[in-house]
Amino acid sequence: MFRCMIFGAAFAVGLTFGISPGMAQGTAQDEGASDTTTSGQSPAIQESTATSSATAAIPTGDASSAVVFMYHRFAETDFPSTNIRGPQFEAHLRELSNGKYTVMGVPEIVDALQNGKGLPDYAIGITVDDAYRSVYDVAWPAFKKHNMPMTVFVASEQVDAGYENYMTWDMLRELVKEGVTIGGHSRHHSHLPSLPIEDVKAELAHSAERFQEELGFVPDIFAYPYGEASDEVITAVREAGYKVAFGQQSGAISTESDMMYLPRFAMNENYGEMDRFTLAANSLPLPVSDVTPPNYTLERNPPAFGFTLREKAGDIACYPSEGEPTMNRLGDERVEIRLNAPVSSGRWRINCTSMGPDGRWRWFGMLYTVP
């Protein structure tokens, strides 16, 4: 049995209250943080920044997946779509410290998945986009206190500009010395799919130069600004030397994941409450292949979305951020979803989930740029 649902405005951005089958499987409407940037306001393994993990044993196990969270701002007041409130953040730390989870460095997680080393069950990675000052003042002291590794994705121009609400290069150098992983995030934090590809390459090249000049190395892990990518952008990022890249679509990462477009669960004020956080932290991947459309920038609108299940799955529910869907299952493997009308320009999300073992939801999410 398949179900397609569009939640009302209260559920429009992500998982919310309770864990009934409908609510637990979530919606897709611009879930989590929007990764907005207002200028002027007050890679697989990165050996250069692995000072803390180099001297500590890397946890192992039999699991083949992990959950990666994405944050932006911490305990700020002006941008709820990219901020996590102080009490919410403290609750996240308590949950991650309760002995159930293993918080690992993102490079170590990716290395394990790429090389078949195995992960502990309930492995968690923590990423933060944009290098806001509150990352230095609030987030890192708390993560460090709890021995939780962190990856920060840095858009170089935001630091170069000297905005008071961003970290400085001196602060970033200090974090590097303390074992924080630094990743690339382009130069200007632009919508990369909307740029001519030569401009994308220039963005990547300039940010690499600034990393080399200021930090003494060039990261090989990347996060697409706003989570937006295209085939051309992904090729440019790979050719620039990045081994791994993250988007902003929801889901757990696994050995089956596209390492150049890995999912993350975004946290912000509206969608950072504990019911959603624990649901995400306990999620498993829904392994799929033959995803259509294959390009992360839509060339057809309304989109014709579909995928093939790699493993048997029971009931599946899919939730698009916009559009009235019709879902069909072709045999036991193929899932096809059609919309009744074109979707708005900007971004279009869809999340599909199925109940897995031990009450853990299997999750597959996609984010498309709509011209």
Side-chain angles (χ1 to χ4, degrees), residues 141-205:
F143 286 136
K144 183 168 63 172
K145 177 181 177 181
H146 291 277
N147 296 312
M148 296 179 183
M150 176 181 74
T151 294
V152 179
F153 293 106
V154 180
S156 58
E157 190 66 25
Q158 295 172 337
V159 182
D160 283 338
Y163 301 133
E164 64 179 10
N165 62 330
Y166 284 89
M167 283 189 276
T168 65
W169 287 113
D170 282 341
M171 293 175 184
L172 289 170
R173 281 188 283 270
E174 180 182 337
L175 295 189
V176 169
K177 290 179 181 178
E178 295 187 353
V180 172
T181 300
I182 301 298
H185 205 37
S186 80
R187 179 185 181 182
H188 290 105
H189 199 283
S190 302
H191 294 268
L192 297 183
S194 67
L195 299 180
I197 197 60
E198 293 305 316
D199 290 352
V200 173
K201 293 178 180 179
E203 284 269 327
L204 300 172

Coordinates of all heavy atoms in Angstrom, one line a residue, residues 141-205:
P141 N 32.6 25.3 21.7 CA 32.8 25.0 23.2 C 31.9 23.9 23.7 O 32.4 23.1 24.5 CB 32.5 26.3 23.9 CG 32.8 27.4 22.8 CD 32.4 26.8 21.5
A142 N 30.7 23.8 23.2 CA 29.8 22.8 23.7 C 30.1 21.5 23.1 O 30.2 20.4 23.8 CB 28.3 23.2 23.4
F143 N 30.4 21.4 21.8 CA 30.8 20.2 21.2 C 32.1 19.6 21.8 O 32.2 18.4 22.0 CB 30.9 20.3 19.7 CG 29.6 20.5 18.9 CD1 29.4 21.4 17.9 CD2 28.5 19.6 19.2 CE1 28.2 21.5 17.3 CE2 27.3 19.7 18.5 CZ 27.2 20.7 17.5
K144 N 33.0 20.5 22.0 CA 34.3 20.1 22.5 C 34.2 19.6 23.9 O 34.8 18.6 24.3 CB 35.3 21.3 22.5 CG 36.7 21.0 23.0 CD 37.7 22.1 22.7 CE 37.3 23.4 23.5 NZ 38.4 24.4 23.3
K145 N 33.3 20.2 24.7 CA 33.1 19.7 26.1 C 32.5 18.3 26.1 O 32.9 17.5 27.0 CB 32.0 20.6 26.8 CG 31.6 20.2 28.2 CD 30.6 21.1 28.8 CE 30.2 20.6 30.1 NZ 29.1 21.5 30.7
H146 N 31.8 17.9 25.1 CA 31.2 16.6 25.0 C 32.0 15.7 24.1 O 31.5 14.6 23.7 CB 29.7 16.7 24.5 CG 28.8 17.3 25.4 ND1 28.2 16.6 26.5 CD2 28.3 18.6 25.6 CE1 27.4 17.4 27.2 NE2 27.5 18.6 26.6
N147 N 33.2 16.1 23.7 CA 34.1 15.3 22.8 C 33.4 14.9 21.5 O 33.5 13.8 21.1 CB 34.5 14.0 23.5 CG 35.4 14.4 24.7 OD1 36.3 15.2 24.6 ND2 35.1 13.8 25.9
M148 N 32.7 15.9 20.9 CA 32.0 15.6 19.7 C 32.7 16.4 18.5 O 32.7 17.6 18.5 CB 30.5 16.1 19.8 CG 29.7 15.3 20.8 SD 28.0 15.9 20.9 CE 27.4 14.9 22.2
P149 N 33.2 15.6 17.5 CA 33.9 16.3 16.4 C 32.9 17.1 15.6 O 31.7 16.9 15.6 CB 34.4 15.1 15.6 CG 34.4 14.0 16.5 CD 33.3 14.2 17.5
M150 N 33.4 18.1 14.9 CA 32.6 19.0 14.1 C 33.2 19.3 12.8 O 34.5 19.4 12.7 CB 32.3 20.3 14.9 CG 31.6 21.4 14.2 SD 31.4 22.9 15.3 CE 33.1 23.6 15.2
T151 N 32.4 19.5 11.7 CA 32.9 20.0 10.4 C 32.2 21.3 10.1 O 31.0 21.4 10.3 CB 32.6 19.0 9.3 OG1 33.3 17.8 9.5 CG2 32.9 19.5 8.0
V152 N 33.0 22.3 9.7 CA 32.5 23.6 9.4 C 32.8 23.9 7.9 O 33.9 23.8 7.5 CB 33.1 24.7 10.2 CG1 32.6 26.1 9.8 CG2 32.9 24.5 11.7
F153 N 31.7 24.2 7.1 CA 31.9 24.5 5.7 C 31.9 26.0 5.6 O 31.0 26.8 6.0 CB 30.7 23.9 4.9 CG 30.7 22.4 4.9 CD1 29.8 21.7 5.6 CD2 31.7 21.8 4.1 CE1 29.8 20.3 5.6 CE2 31.7 20.4 4.1 CZ 30.8 19.6 4.8
V154 N 33.0 26.5 4.9 CA 33.3 27.9 4.9 C 33.3 28.5 3.5 O 34.0 28.0 2.6 CB 34.7 28.1 5.5 CG1 35.1 29.6 5.5 CG2 34.8 27.6 6.9
A155 N 32.5 29.5 3.3 CA 32.5 30.3 2.1 C 33.5 31.4 2.3 O 33.4 32.3 3.2 CB 31.1 30.9 1.8
S156 N 34.6 31.4 1.5 CA 35.8 32.2 1.9 C 35.5 33.7 1.9 O 36.1 34.5 2.7 CB 36.9 31.9 0.9 OG 36.5 32.1 -0.5
E157 N 34.7 34.2 1.0 CA 34.5 35.6 0.9 C 33.7 36.2 2.1 O 34.0 37.3 2.5 CB 33.6 36.0 -0.3 CG 33.5 37.5 -0.6 CD 34.9 38.1 -1.0 OE1 35.7 37.4 -1.5 OE2 35.0 39.3 -0.8
Q158 N 32.9 35.4 2.8 CA 32.2 35.8 4.0 C 33.2 36.1 5.1 O 33.0 37.0 5.9 CB 31.2 34.7 4.4 CG 30.1 34.6 3.4 CD 29.2 33.4 3.7 OE1 29.6 32.5 4.4 NE2 27.9 33.4 3.2
V159 N 34.3 35.3 5.1 CA 35.3 35.5 6.2 C 36.2 36.7 5.7 O 36.5 37.5 6.6 CB 36.2 34.2 6.4 CG1 37.2 34.4 7.4 CG2 35.3 33.1 6.7
D160 N 36.6 36.7 4.5 CA 37.4 37.8 4.0 C 36.8 39.2 4.2 O 37.5 40.2 4.4 CB 37.7 37.6 2.5 CG 38.8 36.6 2.2 OD1 39.5 36.3 3.1 OD2 38.8 36.0 1.1
A161 N 35.5 39.3 4.1 CA 34.8 40.5 4.2 C 34.8 41.1 5.6 O 34.6 42.3 5.8 CB 33.3 40.4 3.8
G162 N 35.1 40.3 6.6 CA 35.2 40.8 8.0 C 33.9 41.1 8.6 O 33.9 41.9 9.6
Y163 N 32.8 40.5 8.2 CA 31.5 40.8 8.9 C 31.6 40.4 10.4 O 32.2 39.3 10.7 CB 30.4 40.1 8.2 CG 30.2 40.4 6.8 CD1 30.1 39.4 5.8 CD2 30.2 41.7 6.3 CE1 29.9 39.7 4.5 CE2 30.0 42.1 5.0 CZ 29.9 41.1 4.1 OH 29.7 41.4 2.8
E164 N 31.0 41.2 11.2 CA 31.2 40.9 12.7 C 30.5 39.6 13.1 O 30.8 39.1 14.2 CB 30.7 42.1 13.5 CG 29.2 42.4 13.3 CD 28.8 43.6 14.2 OE1 29.7 44.3 14.7 OE2 27.6 43.8 14.3
N165 N 29.5 39.2 12.4 CA 28.8 38.0 12.8 C 29.4 36.7 12.2 O 28.7 35.6 12.2 CB 27.3 38.1 12.5 CG 27.0 38.2 11.0 OD1 27.8 38.8 10.3 ND2 25.8 37.7 10.6
Y166 N 30.5 36.8 11.5 CA 31.2 35.7 11.0 C 32.5 35.5 11.8 O 33.1 36.4 12.3 CB 31.5 35.8 9.5 CG 30.3 35.6 8.6 CD1 29.5 36.6 8.3 CD2 30.0 34.3 8.1 CE1 28.4 36.5 7.5 CE2 28.9 34.1 7.3 CZ 28.1 35.2 7.0 OH 27.0 35.0 6.2
M167 N 33.1 34.3 11.7 CA 34.4 34.0 12.3 C 35.5 34.7 11.4 O 35.2 35.0 10.3 CB 34.6 32.5 12.4 CG 33.9 31.8 13.5 SD 34.5 30.1 13.7 CE 33.5 29.3 12.5
T168 N 36.6 34.8 12.0 CA 37.8 35.4 11.3 C 38.7 34.2 11.0 O 38.5 33.0 11.4 CB 38.6 36.3 12.2 OG1 39.1 35.6 13.4 CG2 37.7 37.5 12.8
W169 N 39.7 34.5 10.1 CA 40.6 33.4 9.8 C 41.4 33.0 11.0 O 41.7 31.8 11.1 CB 41.6 33.9 8.7 CG 40.9 34.0 7.3 CD1 40.7 35.1 6.6 CD2 40.5 32.9 6.5 NE1 40.1 34.8 5.4 CE2 39.9 33.4 5.3 CE3 40.4 31.5 6.7 CZ2 39.4 32.7 4.3 CZ3 39.9 30.7 5.7 CH2 39.4 31.3 4.5
D170 N 41.7 33.9 11.9 CA 42.4 33.5 13.1 C 41.5 32.5 13.9 O 42.1 31.5 14.5 CB 42.7 34.7 14.0 CG 43.9 35.5 13.5 OD1 44.7 35.0 12.7 OD2 44.0 36.7 13.9
M171 N 40.2 32.7 14.0 CA 39.4 31.8 14.7 C 39.3 30.5 14.0 O 39.4 29.4 14.7 CB 38.0 32.4 14.8 CG 37.8 33.6 15.7 SD 36.2 34.3 15.6 CE 36.4 35.8 16.6
L172 N 39.3 30.5 12.7 CA 39.3 29.2 12.0 C 40.6 28.4 12.2 O 40.6 27.2 12.3 CB 39.0 29.4 10.5 CG 37.6 29.9 10.2 CD1 37.5 30.3 8.7 CD2 36.6 28.7 10.4
R173 N 41.7 29.2 12.2 CA 43.0 28.5 12.5 C 43.0 27.9 13.8 O 43.6 26.8 14.0 CB 44.1 29.5 12.3 CG 44.5 29.8 10.9 CD 45.8 30.6 10.8 NE 45.5 32.1 11.0 CZ 45.2 32.9 10.1 NH1 45.0 32.6 8.8 NH2 44.9 34.2 10.4
E174 N 42.4 28.6 14.8 CA 42.3 28.0 16.1 C 41.5 26.7 16.2 O 41.9 25.7 16.8 CB 41.7 29.0 17.1 CG 41.6 28.6 18.5 CD 40.9 29.6 19.4 OE1 41.0 30.8 19.1 OE2 40.4 29.2 20.5
L175 N 40.4 26.7 15.5 CA 39.6 25.5 15.4 C 40.3 24.4 14.7 O 40.2 23.2 15.2 CB 38.3 25.8 14.6 CG 37.3 26.8 15.3 CD1 36.0 26.8 14.5 CD2 37.0 26.5 16.8
V176 N 41.0 24.7 13.7 CA 41.8 23.6 13.0 C 42.8 23.0 14.0 O 42.9 21.8 14.0 CB 42.5 24.2 11.8 CG1 43.5 23.2 11.2 CG2 41.5 24.6 10.7
K177 N 43.5 23.8 14.8 CA 44.4 23.3 15.7 C 43.7 22.4 16.7 O 44.4 21.5 17.3 CB 45.1 24.4 16.4 CG 46.1 25.2 15.5 CD 46.8 26.3 16.3 CE 47.7 27.1 15.4 NZ 48.4 28.2 16.1
E178 N 42.5 22.6 17.0 CA 41.7 21.8 18.0 C 41.0 20.6 17.4 O 40.3 19.9 18.1 CB 40.7 22.7 18.7 CG 41.4 23.8 19.6 CD 40.4 24.6 20.4 OE1 39.2 24.4 20.3 OE2 40.9 25.4 21.2
G179 N 41.3 20.4 16.1 CA 40.8 19.2 15.4 C 39.5 19.3 14.7 O 38.9 18.3 14.2
V180 N 39.0 20.6 14.5 CA 37.8 20.8 13.7 C 38.1 20.6 12.2 O 39.1 21.1 11.7 CB 37.2 22.2 13.9 CG1 36.1 22.5 13.0 CG2 36.7 22.3 15.4
T181 N 37.3 19.9 11.5 CA 37.4 19.7 10.1 C 36.8 20.9 9.3 O 35.7 21.4 9.7 CB 36.7 18.5 9.6 OG1 37.2 17.3 10.2 CG2 36.8 18.3 8.1
I182 N 37.6 21.5 8.4 CA 37.1 22.6 7.6 C 36.8 22.1 6.2 O 37.5 21.3 5.6 CB 38.2 23.7 7.5 CG1 38.6 24.2 8.9 CG2 37.7 24.8 6.6 CD1 37.4 24.8 9.6
G183 N 35.6 22.5 5.7 CA 35.2 22.1 4.3 C 35.0 23.3 3.5 O 34.8 24.4 4.0
G184 N 35.0 23.1 2.2 CA 34.7 24.2 1.2 C 33.2 24.5 1.1 O 32.4 23.6 1.2
H185 N 32.9 25.7 0.7 CA 31.5 26.1 0.6 C 31.3 27.2 -0.5 O 30.4 28.0 -0.5 CB 30.9 26.6 1.9 CG 29.5 26.5 2.1 ND1 28.7 25.5 1.7 CD2 28.6 27.4 2.8 CE1 27.4 25.7 2.1 NE2 27.4 26.8 2.7
S186 N 32.3 27.2 -1.4 CA 32.4 28.2 -2.5 C 33.0 29.5 -2.0 O 33.4 29.6 -0.8 CB 31.1 28.4 -3.3 OG 30.3 29.3 -2.6
R187 N 33.1 30.5 -2.9 CA 33.6 31.8 -2.5 C 32.5 32.7 -2.0 O 32.6 33.1 -0.9 CB 34.3 32.5 -3.7 CG 34.8 33.9 -3.4 CD 35.4 34.6 -4.6 NE 35.9 35.9 -4.3 CZ 36.4 36.7 -5.2 NH1 36.4 36.4 -6.5 NH2 36.8 37.9 -4.8
H188 N 31.5 32.9 -2.8 CA 30.4 33.9 -2.5 C 29.2 33.3 -1.9 O 28.2 34.0 -1.7 CB 30.1 34.7 -3.7 CG 31.1 35.6 -4.2 ND1 31.9 35.4 -5.3 CD2 31.6 36.8 -3.7 CE1 32.8 36.4 -5.5 NE2 32.6 37.2 -4.5
H189 N 29.1 32.0 -1.7 CA 27.9 31.3 -1.2 C 26.8 31.6 -2.3 O 25.6 31.9 -1.9 CB 27.5 31.8 0.1 CG 26.5 30.9 0.9 ND1 25.2 30.9 0.6 CD2 26.7 30.0 1.8 CE1 24.6 30.0 1.4 NE2 25.5 29.5 2.1
S190 N 27.1 31.4 -3.5 CA 26.1 31.6 -4.6 C 25.3 30.4 -4.9 O 25.6 29.3 -4.5 CB 26.9 32.0 -5.9 OG 27.7 33.1 -5.7
H191 N 24.2 30.6 -5.6 CA 23.4 29.5 -6.1 C 24.1 28.9 -7.3 O 24.0 29.4 -8.4 CB 22.0 30.0 -6.5 CG 21.1 30.5 -5.4 ND1 20.2 29.7 -4.7 CD2 21.0 31.7 -4.8 CE1 19.6 30.4 -3.8 NE2 20.1 31.6 -3.8
L192 N 24.9 27.9 -7.1 CA 25.9 27.5 -8.1 C 25.2 27.0 -9.4 O 25.7 27.3 -10.5 CB 26.8 26.4 -7.5 CG 27.7 26.8 -6.4 CD1 28.6 25.6 -6.0 CD2 28.5 28.0 -6.7
P193 N 24.0 26.3 -9.4 CA 23.4 25.9 -10.6 C 23.0 27.0 -11.5 O 22.8 26.8 -12.7 CB 22.2 25.0 -10.2 CG 22.6 24.6 -8.8 CD 23.3 25.7 -8.2
S194 N 22.8 28.2 -10.9 CA 22.3 29.4 -11.7 C 23.5 30.1 -12.4 O 23.3 31.0 -13.2 CB 21.5 30.3 -10.9 OG 22.4 30.9 -9.9
L195 N 24.7 29.8 -12.1 CA 25.9 30.4 -12.6 C 26.4 29.7 -13.9 O 26.3 28.5 -14.0 CB 27.0 30.5 -11.6 CG 26.8 31.2 -10.3 CD1 28.1 31.1 -9.4 CD2 26.4 32.6 -10.5
P196 N 27.0 30.5 -14.8 CA 27.8 29.8 -15.9 C 28.8 28.9 -15.3 O 29.4 29.3 -14.3 CB 28.4 31.0 -16.7 CG 27.5 32.2 -16.3 CD 27.0 31.9 -14.9
I197 N 29.1 27.8 -15.9 CA 30.0 26.8 -15.3 C 31.4 27.4 -15.1 O 32.1 27.0 -14.1 CB 30.0 25.5 -16.1 CG1 30.6 24.4 -15.3 CG2 30.7 25.7 -17.4 CD1 29.8 24.1 -14.0
E198 N 31.8 28.3 -15.9 CA 33.1 28.9 -15.7 C 33.2 29.7 -14.5 O 34.2 29.8 -13.8 CB 33.5 29.7 -17.0 CG 33.8 28.9 -18.2 CD 34.8 27.8 -18.0 OE1 35.9 28.0 -17.3 OE2 34.6 26.6 -18.4
D199 N 32.1 30.3 -14.2 CA 32.0 31.1 -12.9 C 32.0 30.2 -11.7 O 32.6 30.5 -10.6 CB 30.7 32.0 -12.9 CG 30.8 33.1 -13.9 OD1 31.8 33.3 -14.5 OD2 29.7 33.8 -14.1
V200 N 31.4 29.0 -11.8 CA 31.4 28.0 -10.7 C 32.9 27.6 -10.5 O 33.3 27.5 -9.4 CB 30.5 26.8 -11.1 CG1 30.7 25.7 -10.0 CG2 29.1 27.2 -11.2
K201 N 33.6 27.3 -11.6 CA 35.0 26.9 -11.5 C 35.8 28.0 -10.8 O 36.7 27.7 -10.0 CB 35.5 26.5 -12.8 CG 34.9 25.3 -13.4 CD 35.4 24.9 -14.8 CE 34.8 23.7 -15.4 NZ 35.3 23.4 -16.7
A202 N 35.5 29.2 -11.2 CA 36.3 30.4 -10.6 C 36.0 30.5 -9.1 O 36.9 30.8 -8.3 CB 35.9 31.7 -11.3
E203 N 34.7 30.3 -8.7 CA 34.3 30.3 -7.3 C 35.1 29.3 -6.5 O 35.7 29.6 -5.5 CB 32.8 30.0 -7.2 CG 31.9 31.1 -7.5 CD 31.5 31.9 -6.3 OE1 31.5 31.4 -5.2 OE2 31.3 33.1 -6.5
L204 N 35.2 28.1 -7.1 CA 36.0 27.0 -6.4 C 37.5 27.3 -6.3 O 38.1 27.0 -5.3 CB 35.7 25.7 -7.1 CG 34.2 25.2 -7.1 CD1 34.0 24.0 -8.0 CD2 33.7 25.0 -5.7
A205 N 38.0 27.8 -7.4 CA 39.4 28.0 -7.5 C 39.8 29.1 -6.5 O 40.9 29.0 -5.8 CB 39.8 28.4 -8.9

